[in-house]
Amino acid sequence: MTEHDITLTVNGTERELTVDARTLLVHAIRDELGYTGANVGCESSLCGACTVRMDGDAMKSCTALAVQADGAEIETVEGLAEGGEFHPIQEGFQEEHGLQCGYCTPGMMLTAVDLLEENPDPSREEIREGLEGNLCRCTGYQNIVNAVENAADSMGSGAVADGGERPDDRPVTDGGETADCGEVPDDGTASGGGEPE
C-alpha cells in the first residue's frame, strides 16, 4: 500500500505523519495524533460524531482522506478552550446540560461554532437546521439547542437560551444569564427560575 508524508496543523500545532493512501482523516487525527475528541460513528457521514473544522469550516472527518487534508489547519474539540478557559459553546453545553452520553458532543460543538460564526444570532429553527447533520443517539436535542443559544448569548449576539430571540426592550434577568423561562409575559419580565413572573 502506498504511504504518504503529510503535514497537518492541529489546534495550532504543526504535525507531520505518514499515512496510507486510504487512511481517513478521522483515523489519522485519532489513531496517529491522539486527538480523540473526533469520534468514529457511522463512517459514512451520517452521524457527525467525527466533525472537525478544516481551514475554518466544519466537516465530517470520515468523509476525507488524510492525504486530502495535507497542509490544512484542523481544529478539534480539544482546541476550543484557550488558556484553561472554556469556549462559550463548551460553557453553554455545560450550563444547559447539552450532553447525555457525550458521544456526539464534540461534533455538535464544532458544528455549532461554525454556525455561530456564520450566523451569530440564530433562531431556534436555524440552530436545528444548522445541526441537522449531527445526530444525538440519546435524542437530547432540546438541551443542545439551548446550549447553542446560551453560547450565542455569551458571545454577544442577543439570543436567549429559552426559545426565541430577546426583544430589544426586554431586560435580561439573573445578571446577564440567560433564563429558562418558557413564555415571556406581556410586561417583558422573566425570572431565571423557569416560570414567568
Side-chain angles (χ1 to χ4, degrees):
M1 186 169 298
T2 306
E3 293 188 333
H4 299 271
D5 294 327
I6 65 171
T7 301
L8 302 175
T9 300
V10 183
N11 300 331
T13 302
E14 188 173 292
R15 305 288 300 267
E16 295 179 355
L17 62 158
T18 301
V19 295
D20 290 333
R22 297 186 314 174
T23 300
L24 294 175
L25 179 59
V26 66
H27 292 299
I29 293 169
R30 285 183 58 86
D31 304 337
E32 301 297 325
L33 301 178
Y35 296 96
T36 57
N39 289 314
V40 178
C42 64
E43 290 191 281
S44 58
S45 79
L46 295 175
C47 75
C50 66
T51 301
V52 298
R53 298 182 75 204
M54 185 164 79
D55 294 330
D57 294 321
M59 57 92 64
K60 296 174 181 172
S61 59
C62 75
T63 63
L65 297 171
V67 295
Q68 292 175 306
D70 186 21
E73 292 192 18
I74 306 294
E75 182 178 20
T76 68
V77 72
E78 293 94 337
L80 286 176
E82 290 185 20
E85 298 290 325
F86 281 154
H87 184 281
I89 194 67
Q90 293 171 309
E91 291 178 353
F93 271 75
Q94 181 183 35
E95 291 173 11
E96 300 293 338
H97 308 287
L99 59 97
Q100 294 181 61
C101 79
Y103 201 80
C104 70
T105 305
M108 289 281 188
M109 287 183 175
L110 290 165
T111 300
V113 168
D114 196 53
L115 169 67
L116 293 176
E117 283 185 2
E118 292 177 13
N119 181 2
D121 190 16
S123 67
R124 291 182 68 80
E125 184 62 29
E126 289 169 332
I127 292 170
R128 289 181 184 278
E129 288 175 9
L131 297 177
E132 70 183 358
N134 293 73
L135 302 179
C136 171
R137 299 187 300 189
C138 306
T139 66
Y141 294 103
Q142 180 67 32
N143 288 351
I144 292 170
V145 173
N146 292 347
V148 176
E149 283 188 310
N150 183 309
D153 191 39
S154 295
M155 296 166 75
S157 66
V160 180
D162 68 345
E165 297 176 15
R166 180 182 308 120
D168 292 337
D169 59 345
R170 195 179 95 189
V172 175
T173 61
D174 299 331
E177 296 288 328
T178 55
D180 182 15
C181 58
E183 292 185 34
V184 176
D186 292 339
D187 66 358
T189 60
S191 71
E195 294 293 326
E197 294 178 345

